Amino acid sequence: MSGERPSLDQYFMDMTQLVKSRGSCPRRQVGAVIVKDKRVLTTGYNGAPRNFPHPIDVGCLRDELQVPKGMLADICPCLHAEQNAILQAATTGVSIEGADLYCTTQPCTQCSRMLANCGIKRVLFAEEYPDPLATGILTTAGVEMYHFDHATNKAHRLKGNTFAQAQDQLRKKWKAGEFHAAPPPGAVIGKRLPVVQGGEAVPAPQRARSIPAAAPPAPVDEPVEDMVTDAPGPAAKGVRNLRDDPNRAAVIRRMAQEKAEKRKKQREGP
């Protein structure tokens, strides 16, 4: 046998290179492998959800708009490699509590939240993705971080900042006017788009125009019948239809008072 036998970290990191080759994002291919007790549990690469066309086949809006890396991720349908590895575990009933994640790229903030909540113990990555918020999530959650150097095939433990420290810096940037809130891309569209049903676009329903309310009719001095109804259509003889009467509430109250007085007189007698 020629060459030195690879370490376990090198062995699993090499796997991430093969996994990432399946990635369908034209901007960056990422591969992830979740391992526990020296056994591969799940793998994942970045790409579009089920039943979606692959961006490498139909194009990428972020590329088209020349959006810088790391910005406006919501306009892209793709899931990250770490997310797909976690989802694979969830859909196949595999527990990844206490496992290690090997990844070609350092996890972002969204993936870091998921990894922390899944009980991942260690995260090893080759390509750094500088984001103090992502680092702070993993550090604060007690997840160990390692940078793997392919030149030496060694993993080096990192001591990152906490999440509170990253928030502190943002707080200062905000107060200095160097950091501002922005609406999510979906909110920028600003209107409801046609709904797709059965493969065909269905136009969004038009909102009915508001019609000014008609002036209420003059009070009615005629006697009120003993019975009222809300049923549509013509009222039966001796029944007053109050369904569309604007004074409905007042009429009903008056009738109730009259009936109460009538019963009182009947009880008291002549």
Side-chain angles (χ1 to χ4, degrees):
M1 185 175 70
S2 60
E4 184 180 350
R5 186 185 183 201
S7 66
L8 286 172
D9 285 342
Q10 181 185 349
Y11 175 61
F12 293 124
M13 283 299 299
D14 285 349
M15 283 188 185
T16 64
Q17 296 297 318
L18 176 61
V19 173
K20 87 169 189 176
S21 65
R22 286 283 300 165
S24 60
C25 171
R27 292 168 68 98
R28 184 204 302 258
Q29 289 179 306
V30 181
V33 177
I34 296 180
V35 178
K36 187 174 183 180
D37 296 331
K38 304 179 184 179
R39 294 178 176 84
V40 174
L41 299 180
T42 64
T43 64
Y45 52 84
N46 58 327
R50 293 182 185 182
N51 303 321
F52 263 69
H54 296 296
I56 55 174
D57 297 330
V58 298
C60 172
L61 180 59
R62 295 174 73 201
D63 265 355
E64 178 186 332
L65 302 181
Q66 298 182 348
V67 176
K69 288 185 177 181
M71 299 181 67
L72 295 182
D74 282 350
I75 70 175
C76 170
C78 290
L79 289 89
H80 291 187
E82 305 95 313
Q83 294 171 339
N84 274 327
I86 292 170
L87 289 170
Q88 187 182 109
T91 55
T92 56
V94 176
S95 173
I96 55 177
E97 179 85 27
D100 298 335
L101 173 93
Y102 293 83
C103 195
T104 55
T105 307
Q106 181 179 351
C108 67
T109 52
Q110 296 291 348
C111 291
S112 295
R113 291 187 184 99
M114 296 178 68
L115 294 168
N117 233 27
C118 285
I120 294 294
K121 183 177 62 176
R122 296 194 310 158
V123 170
L124 298 90
F125 56 87
E127 183 183 351
E128 291 189 89
Y129 184 82
D131 185 343
L133 288 170
T135 299
I137 289 171
L138 294 176
T139 302
T140 303
V143 181
E144 297 177 6
M145 297 175 60
Y146 292 81
H147 175 253
F148 187 84
D149 185 356
H150 279 293
T152 61
N153 288 324
K154 301 289 184 183
H156 306 281
R157 174 80 183 272
L158 300 177
K159 292 185 178 180
N161 58 271
T162 65
F163 192 68
Q165 289 172 332
Q167 284 185 317
D168 233 16
Q169 292 301 311
L170 280 180
R171 188 178 293 109
K172 292 176 182 177
K173 296 284 185 182
W174 181 279
K175 291 180 178 179
E178 302 173 15
F179 171 54
H180 305 280
V188 175
I189 297 174
K191 63 179 181 179
R192 183 178 174 185
L193 299 180
V195 179
V196 175
Q197 294 177 352
E200 297 183 359
V202 179
Q206 299 293 324
R207 291 185 177 179
R209 291 181 299 173
S210 58
I211 301 175
V220 180
D221 294 330
E222 61 188 41
V224 179
E225 292 85 350
D226 289 339
M227 297 178 63
V228 296
T229 177
D230 287 333
K237 186 177 180 180
V239 177
R240 179 174 180 178
N241 192 336
L242 296 178
R243 181 171 176 266
D244 298 318
D245 193 329
N247 297 317
R248 178 175 181 273
V251 171
I252 292 176
R253 282 197 300 270
R254 188 171 63 183
M255 290 177 61
Q257 291 174 355
E258 290 175 353
K259 287 183 178 181
E261 292 175 1
K262 186 177 180 179
R263 292 194 196 98
K264 184 178 178 182
K265 290 179 179 178
Q266 288 175 348
R267 287 196 301 268
E268 292 175 352

